[in-house]
Amino acid sequence: MTATVLVAGGNGYIGSHVVVELAAAGFYPVVIDNLANSNPEATRRVTGIAGRDVPLLVGDVRDGAFLDEVFRAYPIDVVIHLAGLKAVGESVAKPLLYYDVNVGGAVGLFQAMDRHGAKRMVFSSSATVYGDPVTVPITEDFATGATNPYGRTKLMIEEVLSDLVASDPAWQAISLRYFNPVGAHDSALIGEDPNDIPNNLFPFIAQVAVGRREKLSVFGNDYATPDGTGVRDYIHVVDLARAHVRATQALLQGTIAGGAHMPINLGTGNGVSVLEAVHAWRRATNRPIPYEVVARRPGDVAACYANSELAEKLLDWRADFDLDAMCRDHWRWQSRNPQGYGEPG
Ligand code: NAD
Ligand code: UFG
């Protein structure tokens, strides 16, 4: 199926992998990104992997005139919206920035889509919309309730989409609720490149393994989990990216009906503890990965993992890669690119 897919935030960690998989499936991806949290080298490398030119148009999703130019220049069939800010702590310190970029940016993008009659949306949501779940695994009908401004932006955008599709059945929308994306493309050419000290477990361990940091701080070992450390559903970014291809195909084929906004979990369904992740990293790297148990991190939940049956049913998608593959591929990227993409150039 040949269609043009606008990938907003497509120069970032997840977006760059989405673009590779779209191109491999025969789509024409067009990237827009303001480079707030990414390096243009990512799309240059994606072009190399894809074997054909992928346009990177530098601009902001809050800029309506820029978006109008993009929609006039390309026959956009589907939009995948990954652009936004994602640091929970920063969202607590700078809520207005997060509501502006994430909510304002999403509304601006939906308005541009509406103006140009491009009404198929795949939105990057997050398991954070479930807050502290009453039990696990989590299905899509669980109560939502975010615990920080970042999470609230995701919930608000989902609600905007629900209202939008209800107002006009020509709209079709899927919100993909990601659990914990990790890993990298097996070429080791693209991967996650955090700017500062990483907040998340995998990029932090990767920097310990490569010698950039001395040891991992394990945030609490007194949770009600089998070994006391936090349990999450890590998912390989290539699996995640392929789910975006399936979602794009589902929208184009009309298997997700207009007039309905469909939230879909993307996880493996396996809960992995922090200590299990450390052991998997030791296997993948043959390095010691020193760690120290410290206090819990405020706001963390004990366990969060998905029931992903809806993705299997609606998108015919399942995660293929296991934890060892996630560590192996994350490590290959980190060890071959110890400074990430380097300085933007
Ligand atoms: P990322 O920061 O690597 O990618 C986001 C991209 O959006 C960046 O390239 C950034 O430059 C761009 N961007 C930011 N603001 C923009 C704006 N106003 N206009 C245009 N471009 C803008 O992050 P990621 O990990 O690839 O995440 C992608 C999406 O997935 C985000 O919406 C994030 O909230 C969501 N998500 C991520 C995770 C995760 O753990 N990585 C989990 C759940 C959901
Ligand atoms: N952890 C550590 N040490 C670290 C980093 C993390 O012990 O240095 C632990 C955490 O306490 C947690 C687990 O490793 O138990 C995973 O932590 P991450 O920060 O990698 O992931 P979270 O599940 O906490 O956060 C992710 C996204 C958020 C999103 C949240 C809820 O990064 O953006 O999921 O969906 F809000």
Side-chain angles (χ1 to χ4, degrees):
M1 191 182 309
T2 301
T4 302
V5 182
L6 183 67
V7 189
N11 192 58
Y13 168 46
I14 298 168
S16 54
H17 290 83
V18 168
V19 171
V20 166
E21 296 304 322
L22 284 169
F27 291 103
Y28 290 104
V30 174
V31 173
I32 57 173
D33 200 299
N34 72 351
L35 308 182
N37 194 39
S38 58
N39 186 317
E41 178 65 13
T43 298
R44 279 198 283 274
R45 293 189 185 186
V46 164
T47 293
I49 298 168
R52 64 179 153 85
D53 189 40
V54 175
L56 166 61
L57 311 169
V58 177
D60 197 298
V61 285
R62 292 165 296 176
D63 180 346
F66 164 68
L67 294 177
D68 283 338
E69 275 177 40
V70 173
F71 279 95
R72 277 196 287 268
Y74 295 91
I76 309 290
D77 298 294
V78 178
V79 179
I80 301 180
H81 180 36
L82 305 109
L85 303 176
K86 61 168 183 175
V88 172
E90 186 187 46
S91 80
V92 174
K94 299 178 181 172
L96 292 177
L97 177 68
Y98 273 66
Y99 290 117
D100 180 23
V101 174
N102 289 8
V103 181
V107 171
L109 182 58
F110 303 158
Q111 286 171 323
M113 292 169 67
D114 215 50
R115 283 197 294 280
H116 295 273
K119 299 184 179 181
R120 298 185 189 95
M121 161 59 51
V122 179
F123 171 60
S124 292
S125 189
S126 165
T128 196
V129 299
Y130 297 113
D132 195 352
V134 285
T135 182
V136 278
I138 299 169
T139 50
E140 289 80 357
D141 56 358
F142 271 36
T144 53
T147 55
N148 56 65
Y150 165 71
R152 273 187 282 281
T153 67
K154 293 293 176 191
L155 267 182
M156 285 178 188
I157 297 165
E158 286 201 15
E159 283 167 0
V160 171
L161 283 172
S162 295
D163 290 340
L164 186 55
V165 296
S167 74
D168 175 359
W171 271 89
Q172 297 166 263
I174 296 176
S175 286
L176 297 175
R177 293 177 173 167
Y178 310 159
F179 280 66
N180 290 61
V182 298
H185 192 259
D186 69 359
S187 64
L189 289 170
I190 56 171
E192 187 167 17
D193 183 17
N195 276 339
D196 302 315
I197 301 173
N199 291 311
N200 299 119
L201 184 66
F202 266 57
F204 199 100
I205 297 180
Q207 292 193 1
V208 173
V210 84
R212 264 169 82 176
R213 313 211 174 263
E214 191 195 332
K215 63 184 171 210
L216 170 72
S217 295
V218 173
F219 297 143
N221 64 354
D222 56 352
Y223 285 104
T225 59
D227 66 18
T229 64
V231 166
R232 296 291 184 276
D233 188 342
Y234 299 98
I235 174 168
H236 198 296
V237 66
V238 171
D239 274 329
L240 195 78
R242 289 177 181 160
H244 292 70
V245 174
R246 295 299 173 91
T248 300
Q249 288 165 336
L251 292 181
L252 287 167
Q253 289 159 1
T255 51
I256 305 288
H261 162 228
M262 195 62 72
I264 301 177
N265 288 342
L266 292 183
T268 64
N270 299 320
V272 171
S273 75
V274 176
L275 294 184
E276 285 172 327
V278 168
H279 293 309
W281 268 90
R282 287 178 177 162
R283 286 196 296 276
T285 61
N286 260 323
R287 297 191 178 201
I289 320 289
Y291 70 83
E292 171 189 26
V293 177
V294 301
R296 290 181 179 194
R297 182 170 63 178
D300 272 359
V301 302
C304 177
Y305 57 93
N307 174 317
S308 267
E309 284 170 17
L310 190 65
E312 189 162 359
K313 190 172 134 207
L314 294 180
L315 304 180
D316 190 23
W317 172 90
R318 271 190 85 85
D320 283 332
F321 295 101
D322 64 12
L323 182 63
D324 287 331
M326 297 179 211
C327 297
R328 178 198 67 209
D329 292 344
H330 206 119
W331 173 237
R332 192 187 289 125
W333 152 255
Q334 178 72 61
S335 52
R336 292 201 196 156
N337 306 266
Q339 303 301 327
Y341 293 113
E343 292 303 313

